[in-house]
Every structure is written in C-alpha cells, then in structure tokens.
Amino acid sequence: MKPVALFVTCLVDQLYPRVGEATVRVLERAGCAVAFPAEQTCCGQAAFNNGFQEEARVLGRRFLDVFADAPAIVAPSGSCADMVREWYPHLFRDEPALGVLARSVASRTYELSEYLVRVLGVDDLGARFPATVTYHPSCHGLRGLGLREEPLGLLRAVRDLRLVELPDAGQCCGFGGFFSIKFAALSGAMLSVKLDNIEASGAEVVTATDVSCLMHISGGLSRRGSRVRALHLAEILAGS
Amino acid sequence: MTNRPPRIDLIRNVERALRDASLQRQMGKAMPASRKARADVVAELPEWESLRSTAAGIKDHVLANLESYLRQLESQVSALGGTVHWASGAAEARAIITDLARSRGVRRIVKSKSMTTEEISLNAALEAAGARVVETDLGEYVVQLAGERPSHLIAPVIHKPTEEIADLFVRKLGVPRYERPEELARVAREVLRAEFLAAEMGITGVNFAIAESGTLVIVENEGNARLTTARPRIHVAVMGIEKVLPRMADLSVFLRILARSGTGQRASVYVSLLTGPRRAGETDGPEELHLVILDNGRRRLLADPGLRTALRCIRCGACQNECPVYRHAGGHAYGSVYAGPIGAVLTPAYEGMERARDLPFASTLCRACADVCPVKIDLPGMLVELRARAVRTGLAPWRDRMLVGAWTFFMRSPARFMLAGDLGRLAQRLVARGGKIERLPYPLSGWTAHRAAPALASTPFRAWWKSRQGGPR
Ligand code: SF4
C-alpha cells in the first residue's frame, strides 16, 4: 500500500465533498493508503493570484507545516497542485529554512491523474461510466503541470464511456479566481465560448481535473438550461 | 510637463467592447485564423523549442551587455555616414525628428512599420511642425484615415470589418464603394504611390539592428518600408534600445521565429537590410540616414529584475492572438499603444501602475501567451509580480482587500474554516434552491450575474471523513 496524504482543497471540502469522497475511493482502488491531515485548509492560491502575497504566505506556511512529513501529497486539483509546485518555492525563496521545505513539499505534490499515471503507473481503474463524455483540460493542469495524455488515458480505459473531443479544448474557460468577479462580464463571455464548444461536442458530461473550472462551467450550463452535467474526473473514475 | 493622463478603466472599456457586436464578430472571425496559421507553421519545425531557447538566450545576452552593443552600433552607423541620435523619452524623440524635418524644410513624410513612433505619438508632432505624414502600410493607413490607433502589434486594423473600411474609403477618399480586400488595397496603393514620389522624408521602425555591421533590418509584407527608405532624400529610423543584435549571424534565428509567430508565414515577404545611406555612385537610397535610439522607460525596465526579460519582446503579436481576454476586449480597451499580455506588462511598467492598475489583473493566468511567445517571456509570472506590486503599494481596490482579508482569516485554522462553512450554510437557507444559488449579494454579485453559484454542501468532506474512520472501507 502506497501511503498518500490527501489535500482535498478548500472548495472540495465545503462545496464538492463528493469529489473528495470519489478521490479517496479512486486512490484506494489504485492501492493507496489514504490519510487526511485534518489541520489543512487552503493552499492560498486565490490570494496569491490576486497579488496578496503576504496573505498567501500565511496560508502557505500552514500548508507546509501540515504536509511537511507526507510521503506524497495528492490533490483533486491541477491548479492547487500547480500553486504548491510552481509558486511555493518562489513565495518562500527569501526564507532559507522554509525555502528548503517548500521545494521539498513541492516535489512531493501531485494532481490526482498525474499521480495515478506518472507515479503509480496505473492506467485502468476498472471503472464503468455509461455516458458520452468530453474533457476540458484546465489551464493550470495543461500548461502548468503539462498534463495532456494522463487524464485522457484514464478516461479511455473507463468501460462504456464514449470520449468525444472538445472543440478548441485548450482554451481557458474564463474562471481565473478573482478574475471571474472582477472582470465578471469578460469571464462570462469566455465562459460562453467554452459552453458553446461543450454543447457542440455532443457530450452528456463534461469533466475536468479542477472543481474551480467546473464550478464556473456548471454554473453557466445551469443558467443556459443545458442538459450537460459537469463532473470531476475523480467522480467518473470512481464509477462502477 | 503635461498633466498625467487619467487611469485606464479597463473594466469599463471591456464592457463596452463586449456590447460592440461588430467588434465581437470581427475579432471572432479574424483571430482563429491567425492562431491556426501560427500553430500550423510552428508544428512544421521540430526544432521550434530549441529556436525559442536560442532566441531568448541571444536576447538575454544582449540585455546583459546592452550599452556596449549600442555603442558598437552607434560607431558602425556613424562610420557608414549615418547620424545617431539618443532620445531618453518621447518628447525628446519627437523634438529630434521634428527639428530634422523643420531644418530641412520637409513638407511631406511617408511612414512605414513602426509601433515605436506610435509610442512617442510622432505624427501629431510632425503635423504641428507643418509637415504632412502619411502611413503607408495598409492597416496603418486605414487606422490613420479613421483617426484611430492601431489595435494590434502587427495587424493594426484587425478590429475593423472590411465593410467599415469600404465606407471609410468612400467617405475619405471619394472613391466608389469597393467591397473586396484586394480592391481596397489597390485603391490605397494608388493613393500612396503619389505620396511616395512626393515625400522628402521617410520614417520607419527597426525590427533588428546589427551591432557589428550597423545594419538596420526591417521585416514586412507589403514592401512599403522598402519604398519609404529608398525614395525620399532623408530616412529616419526609430528604434527602442532593445532592438540591437550582436551579429548578422543572429538574424536568421529571429527571422524564422518572427514570421512564424507573427503572421504564421514561413518567411516574411520583404526583409530589408539597410547598411548606411546612399554611397557615391549608388542610384538608390537616402542621402541622409538618421537613427533615433529611444529609451523611454526601457532602461528602467532593464534595471528591474522582475520584469527585465520583457525587453526580449520582438513585437510579433502572438501573445495577443492567443490571449482570450485580448480577443474579447480588442486592443483599444487596453488604453495604450501596447495591448494584450505584453501590453499588460509594458503599460504599467512604462506609464505607471496608478494609471494602469487594472491591466495586470485582466488575465486568468491561463498561460497561453507564455506558451506561444517565441522568446519565452514569462508573461503570466510578470502579471503576478505586477499584481503583487499593486497590492503592496496600496492600489488594490477595497473590495479585493476585504475579500482576501476575510478569506485568509477564515482559512487560518480548520475550526475557523468550518465556522465559515456553518455560517454560510445558515445564510444560504434564504437563497439556495436545489443546490444552487441564482443571486448573491455584493461583493459576489458579479459571479451570479453570469452564472449560477453552487450551494455549500450540507456535510463537508471532513465530516464524512470523520464518520468513515473506523467504518468499513
Ligand atoms: S511578448 Fe512574446 S509573443 Fe508577445 S509580442 Fe512580444 S515576443 Fe511576441
């Protein structure tokens, strides 16, 4: 059994606990012993991206403290994993001891599909999910962590799942954290293009590795009265 | 000094752009084609990534040794018989060029290929000095006729539908209404031909300046820079200090990445290499060559470790084509010469954060710009840095402070976090229906103006986890 510490992320904890539950099931199915360090809260990405680096450091220090000894840290979120991997070393570069810890924690932090495929070498979780599905590659997973084939490979192995291509898939959905409130209309316009493409794909379900993008996308689908559902990758991989 | 220009209200500009149906249609039509063209020709080159690294490396080497390459360039250009002028700011550059025109009795000027002269607002100054200035590149010409500014680095008129250009020509040139782009180009060319013949001075930008040989390189597709530099008696070239390259051998790298990134061409149609003014016995070329080397905030950028590499920019416009924000907002919304991701970095750096406070925030940090930038500028990283500076200097809006402050407060411990969740669950009883919230109050109202919000789950994950401990797996 591979010991794994789950970083469930703040949004999943409060808004989408079912995604957290699915993540636990998927990891266990892949042979992991999952621990949930209860002291965790949020990685600080939202503050950091909005320019509030002091606040991000406060939350980052907590994160480093909580996960200092974890053998591997796995999150159902490409953007949170990317925050820890890409930005923590930068955020703590002027604090020698924390800088070392930040680099070490960063090197042990993974997004779920990344961990399954690249670290565990799993490509089939034995899941079954009878639906037509399209995959939206979230920007931070795609361009930050370089996740291209990993989530798609896992989806292809799911029984009874028909994977259809999302037109212009790599385009940002327009979420961007505070951007979606600050530049609300612009974010809505970008979302609208993404929704058109999702609907054009013919899928019944759109999936991604980030609940943040999915929260934005599903909110838009709901406004449109669309029948397409938005589900996190873990929810599909946990299907049986 | 003049008064400081007002703050760029990007949010309002964008909202206006989004309501402009013709702009939205035009951008929706033009941008995918540019992106596809770039992607196709880049995919042809297996060595693309190494070309990018090489180009970035050459630029960094130049930036690290900038003053010595500039001095070498100056001495080469002077040795060839050209004159080099140094301008520290826009006003000085304008004064140098208007003095040149005035002292030589220049009345007619043709211009080609220069964002740098846009940056220093040269045309108005020359007109005030009694000269007539005509833009000769088709897009620039249209923008000039319309009394606008370019909205894109290499496609200045990308925001304007052809029908509007057709109407503009009827109105301004008194020609019949032509609809096809080729016909409009022909009309413009006929008008411009006479301008080329009559002009006493030609003004161009510079894409690259080769230090070892004093050669000025201009890359274009229409051939107007060639006419601008060959026909008039005086050629004035205007370049930013960062445009210098050490050797001719470096040029091939940049020619390959510029054409592919900019217009999606394998090679540009015209590449002019101008080495000095006309020599005795030559039939072509200007009698006088003036090179204006402009700082205008660039040395300050050079001294700024967080933003220095923005000076690698070769103004290809790829980041603009790729940026979803730019595509919806249009170039004019950025309120300055440089738009899109590179503009969101350069405008605050050049014009001050006070004026350009919103610009670095106008990005989801999706990184598409960094992926395409041929000189690997970390544009998203710079946006994050500029945001941090805005916050540090107290320029962040009150709402942001409040939201981030509250967020950080509640995320400082699991107990507070759970408390926030419980408070939220209480409050949402009033507004949540079927797991959704259709309307949130300020400061979150922007969210629900465009999408439904999810309701907080009745049981948070950690409660589930707790109840599961010890139970069956
Ligand atoms: S920042 Fe990069 S992509 Fe954008 S215009 Fe400059 S060189 Fe081109």
Side-chain angles (χ1 to χ4, degrees):
Chain A
M1 296 274 265
K2 272 258 187 197
V4 164
L6 172 67
F7 171 46
V8 82
T9 82
C10 53
L11 292 186
V12 168
D13 196 347
Q14 285 289 0
L15 292 167
Y16 300 100
R18 56 191 161 84
V19 172
E21 296 167 26
T23 304
V24 172
R25 288 202 187 95
V26 167
L27 283 169
E28 287 178 351
R29 221 187 251 179
C32 299
V34 182
F36 175 74
E39 282 297 304
Q40 62 179 276
T41 57
C42 158
C43 65
Q45 185 194 177
F48 178 79
N49 283 353
N50 206 27
F52 290 80
Q53 298 201 348
E54 240 348 284
E55 287 77 357
R57 260 190 286 274
V58 169
L59 300 179
R61 267 185 223 114
R62 259 200 82 73
F63 186 97
L64 292 177
D65 203 35
V66 172
F67 289 101
D69 300 323
I73 303 140
V74 177
S77 162
S79 68
C80 300
D82 184 59
M83 172 69 198
V84 175
R85 279 247 287 275
E86 173 86 17
W87 292 111
Y88 274 18
H90 172 81
L91 208 49
F92 297 106
R93 66 190 182 286
D94 296 332
E95 297 168 68
L98 271 176
V100 171
L101 179 59
R103 282 195 296 280
S104 150
V105 166
S107 71
R108 286 179 269 137
T109 301
Y110 304 91
E111 181 278 330
L112 175 64
S113 72
E114 179 185 38
Y115 185 72
L116 292 171
V117 176
R118 287 194 200 157
V119 180
L120 298 183
V122 171
D123 44 23
D124 185 349
L125 286 146
R128 187 178 157 270
F129 192 87
T132 311
V133 175
T134 197
Y135 171 70
H136 163 65
S138 300
C139 299
H140 289 84
L142 178 67
R143 285 179 281 266
L145 303 174
L147 301 175
R148 281 164 209 277
E149 269 311 303
E150 291 80 355
L152 289 171
L154 290 167
L155 284 169
R156 277 194 208 101
V158 174
R159 321 276 179 275
D160 303 332
L161 183 150
R162 198 166 80 86
L163 187 63
V164 291
E165 203 178 316
L166 176 65
D168 217 355
Q171 280 303 292
C172 177
C173 67
F175 170 63
F178 276 93
F179 174 85
S180 59
I181 299 170
K182 224 170 174 156
F183 290 87
L186 186 51
S187 167
M190 287 163 68
L191 173 61
S192 165
V193 176
K194 181 58 69 180
L195 298 181
D196 289 346
N197 286 329
I198 290 170
E199 293 192 317
S201 76
E204 301 156 83
V205 170
V206 56
T207 190
T209 54
D210 274 74
V211 292
S212 47
C213 310
L214 287 168
M215 165 173 81
H216 172 69
I217 288 172
S218 76
L221 288 168
S222 146
R223 268 295 150 83
R224 269 192 188 193
S226 168
R227 307 175 79 95
V228 181
R229 285 184 304 149
L231 291 177
H232 189 275
L233 180 70
E235 296 177 275
I236 292 179
L237 298 180
S240 55
Chain B
M1 281 309 291
T2 48
N3 287 336
R4 287 184 79 91
R7 186 165 79 78
I8 300 166
D9 192 343
L10 184 59
I11 296 173
R12 213 193 50 207
N13 295 352
V14 168
E15 277 166 8
R16 193 183 306 134
L18 288 170
R19 283 193 303 269
D20 183 341
S22 135
L23 175 73
Q24 293 301 320
R25 216 177 313 117
Q26 172 61 15
M27 298 295 275
K29 216 163 52 186
M31 303 308 280
S34 320
R35 289 170 54 218
K36 183 168 184 321
R38 190 208 76 95
D40 289 350
V41 295
V42 161
E44 289 174 358
L45 286 191
E47 69 273 33
W48 181 249
E49 283 309 313
S50 76
L51 270 178
R52 289 174 81 199
S53 305
T54 309
I58 295 172
K59 276 285 184 184
D60 284 351
H61 169 78
V62 169
L63 294 176
N65 302 278
L66 189 60
E67 301 306 332
S68 80
Y69 283 124
L70 285 172
R71 274 198 304 279
Q72 192 186 3
L73 177 69
E74 176 181 37
S75 71
Q76 290 302 322
V77 170
S78 310
L80 291 161
T83 311
V84 175
H85 308 260
W86 299 91
S88 62
E92 198 178 342
R94 284 194 300 263
I96 291 166
I97 302 168
T98 47
D99 284 353
L100 273 173
R102 220 184 260 122
S103 64
R104 282 150 178 82
V106 170
R107 317 230 40 106
R108 310 191 71 157
I109 300 174
V110 283
K111 256 181 74 190
S112 171
K113 282 291 291 176
S114 178
M115 277 310 270
T116 314
T117 59
E118 288 293 335
E119 182 185 323
I120 58 172
S121 310
L122 183 60
N123 287 11
L126 286 168
E127 272 152 21
R132 176 184 147 82
V133 192
V134 180
E135 297 289 346
T136 63
D137 298 316
L138 185 56
E140 289 272 355
Y141 179 62
V142 170
V143 170
Q144 188 184 32
L145 275 187
E148 294 175 12
R149 273 192 152 179
S151 71
H152 186 281
L153 277 169
I154 55 158
V157 73
I158 192 133
H159 58 285
K160 216 179 252 315
T162 319
E163 311 84 71
E164 253 180 62
I165 301 175
D167 293 339
L168 184 72
F169 276 25
V170 172
R171 228 170 37 245
K172 296 275 175 161
L173 303 177
V175 292
R177 194 169 190 284
Y178 295 105
E179 307 258 340
R180 302 213 326 271
E182 309 83 73
E183 291 171 331
L184 291 165
R186 181 179 50 76
V187 171
R189 215 166 288 134
E190 271 163 24
V191 176
L192 292 172
R193 203 158 290 160
E195 301 289 349
F196 280 122
L197 290 175
E200 299 127 340
M201 178 183 272
I203 301 178
T204 69
V206 173
N207 288 95
F208 308 100
I210 314 294
E212 68 173 0
S213 61
T215 304
L216 306 180
V217 184
I218 304 175
V219 182
E220 54 160 349
N221 280 320
E222 298 174 29
N224 299 317
R226 186 158 286 204
L227 291 169
T228 301
T229 55
R231 174 80 205 184
R233 209 167 54 71
I234 307 164
H235 172 205
V236 179
V238 187
M239 63 176 259
I241 52 170
E242 80 282 15
K243 294 286 171 84
V244 66
L245 292 180
R247 289 167 303 272
M248 198 57 98
D250 302 317
L251 185 61
S252 65
V253 175
F254 288 92
L255 290 181
R256 295 181 80 191
I257 62 168
L258 178 57
R260 284 176 201 257
S261 304
T263 43
Q265 292 168 292
R266 294 189 183 86
S268 309
V269 180
Y270 295 91
V271 178
S272 303
L273 291 97
L274 309 166
T275 310
R278 186 194 298 196
R279 269 160 284 233
E282 287 181 347
T283 51
D284 237 2
E287 292 160 25
E288 283 184 51
L289 167 67
H290 295 270
L291 177 62
V292 180
I293 303 180
L294 177 73
D295 178 339
N296 208 29
R298 288 166 173 79
R299 283 193 175 86
R300 203 171 60 230
L301 208 53
L302 189 65
D304 184 332
L307 304 176
R308 172 182 306 146
T309 48
L311 289 171
R312 289 180 191 160
C313 177
I314 56 170
R315 308 282 191 260
C316 72
C319 59
Q320 303 183 324
N321 294 341
E322 210 61 31
C323 177
V325 170
Y326 175 89
R327 292 207 297 275
H328 282 100
H332 289 154
Y334 292 78
S336 187
V337 212
Y338 302 110
I342 185 65
V345 169
L346 292 182
T347 306
Y350 288 165
E351 301 185 30
M353 190 61 95
E354 297 254 353
R355 170 159 154 73
R357 181 182 86 181
D358 295 343
L359 268 56
F361 290 89
S363 163
T364 60
L365 305 178
C366 79
R367 305 193 196 185
C369 53
D371 262 21
V372 295
C373 176
V375 285
K376 292 192 167 179
I377 299 173
D378 179 15
L379 293 159
M382 289 180 191
L383 296 177
V384 165
E385 168 65 20
L386 285 164
R387 290 176 186 192
R389 291 182 191 184
V391 169
R392 269 206 302 277
T393 51
L395 285 170
W398 176 83
R399 179 187 59 184
D400 293 26
R401 270 169 218 290
M402 186 181 69
L403 282 172
V404 175
W407 184 273
T408 314
F409 176 84
F410 284 115
M411 292 297 173
R412 282 184 108 127
S413 77
R416 288 188 192 182
F417 181 28
M418 286 306 114
L419 171 70
D422 291 340
L423 292 174
R425 267 178 285 276
L426 264 180
Q428 77 182 12
R429 285 206 210 154
L430 303 169
V431 286
R433 297 268 174 290
K436 279 193 219 75
I437 301 171
E438 293 299 338
R439 217 155 158 186
L440 283 167
Y442 183 86
L444 298 172
S445 44
W447 179 275
T448 43
H450 299 276
R451 39 220 157 334
L456 291 157
S458 53
T459 320
F461 172 83
R462 69 184 68 215
W464 173 82
W465 178 266
K466 227 184 204 164
S467 71
R468 184 176 184 262
Q469 290 305 88
R473 292 222 153 165

